[in-house]
Amino acid sequence: MTVSRDFFDGGVASGEIAARVLRGESPANIPFQLIEKVKYSFNPATAALNGIVIPPELLLRGESVN
């Protein structure tokens, strides 16, 4: 299982900030923002081999289930 920030959303957010700077806004006035979307990936077969049971409600949150 991995839990990570979504790099696509990070790229979109970076582009929005770049557009603000290109329009003349000072980067010093733009606050730091975390990427809010979290991506869950699971490998149930590997988990089972290691005796790990992934709850079904958690699997439903997964964007990648191998």
Side-chain angles (χ1 to χ4, degrees), residues 18-56:
R20 290 170 63 182
V21 172
L22 289 171
R23 287 187 199 108
E25 189 172 344
S26 170
N29 295 331
I30 301 173
F32 177 80
Q33 299 173 358
L34 288 174
I35 302 169
E36 293 185 21
K37 185 176 180 184
V38 176
K39 182 178 180 179
Y40 296 88
S41 299
F42 302 98
N43 187 324
T46 301
L49 285 173
N50 290 286
I52 299 169
V53 177
I54 303 171

